[in-house]
Amino acid sequence: MTATGGRKTTTAEAERGRTGLFGRLGPGAYGPLPVLIGLAAIWTIFTVANPRFLSPVNLTNMMLQIAAVGTISVGIVLVLLLGEIDLSVGSVSGFAAGVMAVLSVKAGLPAVPAILCGILVGLVIGAFNGLVVTRFGVHSLVVTLAGLLGFQGALLYVLGDTGTINLRDPIITGLAGTFFPPLVGWVAAAAVIAAYAAAVFSGRRRELAAGLERPLAPVVVRVVAVAAAVLAGVAVLNADRGLPLAVVIFLGFVVVFHLITKKTRFGRYLFAIGGNAEAARRAGIKVERVRVAAFTLCSALAAAGGILAASRLLAVNQSSGSGDILLNAIAGPVIAGTSLMGGRGSVWSALLGALVIGSISNGMDLLAFDSSIKFMVTGAVLLVAATIDAVASRRRRAT
């Protein structure tokens, strides 16, 4: 405790004072503020270079592009919080989509069971990865690197000689092809804003009841800022084709897993193990079970992302899950503040990081940049973010 103006201040209050308005919104000292500033700069540069960048049509297409990769990133956040990595998510996403396509098109299975089977494939793969990591002590980098190679081959095997399976079931194609009318978008926006405001003010009441002083003005500013962002986003989407179902699915995963990581015992265990696995074990946490669960959920979300990608492309082929999907899925959360060292991050980094990576890729596509340039720019951004994370982690350990 420290003395301030004749009154004793708790450590929690002192920490709150250092982090300020944005400290509670994200993983870093300034929360998502640096990422939002960077995103605004990216949008400004590309808009100046090509005014079509901020058009409703282009922004809607960009949101559809990032929905699949962002869904995969949500699962990546879970393993990153443990200080682990999963390099197989791209291959798993393609393989799960391939299983769904074969069952739907070749076996004639209805859409919903086919989709569930694809996600089940992801669950089984994730559980296998987690068990190998925990029971045999093989580093997750090696286990999932083997999966990256193995499940690429598995995709080729299930696709067979044709190499491409076109999706025709309206339920499957509708995952990325459904757009809600404007009224539904506005109602959804109002519900999101109301729920967020209720959660924020409820949290403030609990803190006041616990004797923690928290000014009202920053809380109101947060609610107003989120409300403005939500309303602006819905307005842009409604100006084109409406709110896409794929975006709703992606945001739904973000919200659900944010609540899981922040409000449940499992979420607290993720942070505890990522911060110090041995201390967590001595505290009675079943470290192996949590790791297996995290890898299982990660691969399941990779499967869901692969299915969304297949729905958007209306097909599954030999390149599904390959290319820059793995790079973007990992780069997004890291760029947005989730630490590679474990124990620090937020599921919201999957959304913010996907927006950053998607904006860079989309903007360079509009400017007709070569793929080589896109890869180099994305890699450079990831390297800078990882370097900043490493420096910040070293400073925290030093203090």
Side-chain angles (χ1 to χ4, degrees), residues 139-235:
H139 197 284
S140 58
L141 177 70
V142 178
V143 175
T144 57
L145 180 59
L148 182 154
L149 300 173
F151 294 117
Q152 283 181 343
L155 171 62
L156 300 180
Y157 179 79
V158 299
L159 290 179
D161 296 333
T162 58
T164 299
I165 298 179
N166 295 318
L167 300 173
R168 298 185 294 269
D169 192 294
I171 295 179
I172 295 176
T173 59
L175 292 175
T178 298
F179 297 85
F180 296 108
L183 179 59
V184 174
W186 292 121
V187 170
V192 169
I193 294 170
Y196 179 76
V200 169
F201 285 108
S202 175
R204 181 175 184 272
R205 284 195 298 270
R206 288 195 299 270
E207 291 173 350
L208 292 175
L212 298 176
E213 294 185 6
R214 187 178 179 192
L216 178 61
V219 178
V220 174
V221 170
R222 285 176 58 196
V223 173
V224 171
V226 170
V230 171
L231 293 174
V234 171

Side-chain angles (χ1 to χ4, degrees), residues 39 43 53 58-74 237 244 246-251 253-254 305 308-309 312 325 328-329 332 348-363:
L39 186 62
W43 284 18
F53 179 79
N58 186 62
L59 290 180
T60 300
N61 288 334
M62 184 177 71
M63 291 303 298
L64 289 172
Q65 290 168 2
I66 71 173
V69 175
T71 299
I72 300 174
S73 291
V74 173
L237 295 173
V247 174
V248 173
I249 294 172
F250 168 41
L251 295 179
F253 281 130
V254 171
L308 284 177
R312 178 172 174 268
I325 290 179
N328 292 343
W348 288 105
S349 66
L351 171 60
L352 294 175
L355 283 172
V356 172
I357 294 294
S359 298
I360 293 173
S361 177
N362 181 272

Side-chain angles (χ1 to χ4, degrees), residues 22-207:
F22 291 94
R24 292 173 57 81
L25 294 180
Y30 298 98
L33 185 58
V35 181
L36 294 175
I37 292 174
L39 186 62
I42 292 169
W43 284 18
T44 300
I45 292 171
F46 283 125
T47 301
V48 171
N50 190 328
R52 288 196 303 147
F53 179 79
L54 286 183
S55 66
V57 173
N58 186 62
L59 290 180
T60 300
N61 288 334
M62 184 177 71
M63 291 303 298
L64 289 172
Q65 290 168 2
I66 71 173
V69 175
T71 299
I72 300 174
S73 291
V74 173
I76 286 291
V77 170
L78 301 180
V79 295
L80 289 181
L81 290 177
L82 292 172
E84 304 285 355
I85 192 68
D86 191 337
L87 300 180
S88 67
V89 289
S91 297
V92 170
S93 71
F95 177 53
V99 170
M100 176 204 67
V102 169
L103 292 175
S104 173
V105 177
K106 294 186 176 181
L109 197 66
V112 173
I115 292 171
L116 292 177
C117 286
I119 295 175
L120 179 61
V121 165
L123 285 168
V124 173
I125 292 172
F128 173 79
N129 288 342
L131 287 172
V132 173
V133 170
T134 57
R135 295 297 175 88
F136 298 99
V138 184
H139 197 284
S140 58
L141 177 70
V142 178
V143 175
T144 57
L145 180 59
L148 182 154
L149 300 173
F151 294 117
Q152 283 181 343
L155 171 62
L156 300 180
Y157 179 79
V158 299
L159 290 179
D161 296 333
T162 58
T164 299
I165 298 179
N166 295 318
L167 300 173
R168 298 185 294 269
D169 192 294
I171 295 179
I172 295 176
T173 59
L175 292 175
T178 298
F179 297 85
F180 296 108
L183 179 59
V184 174
W186 292 121
V187 170
V192 169
I193 294 170
Y196 179 76
V200 169
F201 285 108
S202 175
R204 181 175 184 272
R205 284 195 298 270
R206 288 195 299 270
E207 291 173 350

